[in-house]
Amino acid sequence: MLLALETATNVCSVAFCDSEGSIFEKRIDKRGSHSEQLFLFIEELMNEHDFKIEDLDAVLVSEGPGSYTGLRIGASAVKGLLFQSGVSLFGVNTLASFATQAAEGNSSSQTVHSIIDARRKHVYHQSFFCNEGLAAKSEVEVIPIKSFEAMVKEGDVIIGTGLDRIEESVKEKVRTFGKESITAKSLIFLYQSGEGFINEVNPGEFEPKYYTSNQVS
């Protein structure tokens, strides 16, 4: 059984995978909702599906990049949940989890661009090959929106937040998935695929992969 927490954007999502492989989710898309909703969602799933944290095989948490506040709340939550529990914790590359969701049903020849609005005139970005699995095409980076737009090619896929800041002429030549596609279920799919982008971490020492303000110049 798995529990997954996605808090890297305004989306607050918690997903539970039971012993039979069925996945259930609690989700809200509202800025500043993480501190109020995250533990509530966890508690609701625990009550509805009759499990305790100690029953889990692993907890998955979105490790960034993304919102400093959201990532910090997610990190604090898993540290509290797993204190002296013995349950394994895995940090998941946020942008890779996005790509897993976008790659579903798309051509294996396509490039998937995962982005998160980094405010100012930048986005967090990483691109992936989708060819019988997921492989990184670039590193995680903070780049100007104009630079990102210049690298997008006909037939590519873009998923994430900040799509409203992308020129319409760019979006017209690609397939897009907005914030409605951001979900903790993607962390579970990526974990189950065994394709990487996931690292086991000590719950007490876990720190998200923050990006500081001087990286968004």
Side-chain angles (χ1 to χ4, degrees):
M1 295 192 292
L2 304 168
L3 186 71
L5 282 59
E6 172 55 75
T7 62
T9 68
N10 287 345
V11 173
C12 177
S13 171
V14 180
F16 168 65
C17 180
D18 67 16
S19 57
E20 298 180 351
S22 297
I23 299 177
F24 308 88
E25 181 192 20
K26 302 287 182 178
R27 181 185 186 277
I28 188 172
D29 177 8
K30 181 180 179 182
R31 185 173 182 177
S33 63
H34 305 81
S35 59
E36 298 176 359
Q37 298 295 328
L38 188 61
F39 277 103
L40 177 62
F41 287 166
I42 294 170
E43 184 177 3
E44 287 177 352
L45 286 169
M46 292 174 65
N47 291 336
E48 290 171 12
H49 302 283
D50 193 26
F51 71 91
K52 301 185 296 293
I53 295 300
E54 293 76 12
D55 297 329
L56 298 169
D57 297 303
V59 171
L60 317 175
V61 61
S62 185
E63 69 178 11
S67 159
Y68 175 88
T69 301
L71 292 171
R72 179 175 54 80
I73 291 171
S76 297
V78 294
K79 288 180 180 181
L81 286 172
L82 300 183
F83 181 69
Q84 294 185 339
S85 71
V87 176
S88 297
L89 174 65
F90 292 85
V92 183
N93 176 327
T94 302
L95 297 174
S97 74
F98 288 8
T100 298
Q101 188 77 2
E104 183 92 17
N106 284 297
S107 167
S108 61
S109 63
Q110 287 175 314
T111 295
V112 174
H113 298 278
S114 294
I115 62 171
I116 296 174
D117 188 356
R119 301 185 182 179
R120 300 186 188 179
K121 297 180 180 179
H122 295 71
V123 289
Y124 301 110
H125 168 262
Q126 188 173 16
S127 59
F128 300 86
F129 292 110
C130 298
N131 188 2
E132 297 182 359
L134 196 67
K137 188 175 180 179
S138 70
E139 298 296 321
V140 176
E141 56 188 350
V142 182
I143 59 174
I145 292 172
K146 291 298 182 184
S147 298
F148 167 67
E149 291 173 336
M151 71 175 63
V152 176
K153 295 181 171 55
E154 186 87 30
D156 286 354
V157 177
I158 303 175
I159 182 170
T161 66
L163 289 176
D164 58 330
R165 305 181 67 195
I166 306 300
E167 291 287 345
E168 288 300 323
S169 60
V170 174
K171 291 188 284 187
E172 287 172 358
K173 63 182 180 180
V174 301
R175 187 175 181 188
T176 60
F177 297 83
K179 56 186 179 179
E180 70 280 354
S181 297
I182 296 174
T183 168
K185 293 187 288 186
S186 298
L187 308 182
I188 294 175
F189 298 150
L190 189 56
Y191 175 86
Q192 292 175 332
S193 74
E195 292 172 356
F197 308 105
I198 293 177
N199 295 297
E200 185 169 6
V201 292
N202 183 315
E205 299 174 359
F206 173 66
E207 289 294 331
K209 296 185 177 179
Y210 299 121
Y211 277 67
T212 59
S213 57
N214 63 9
Q215 291 173 285
V216 187
S217 58

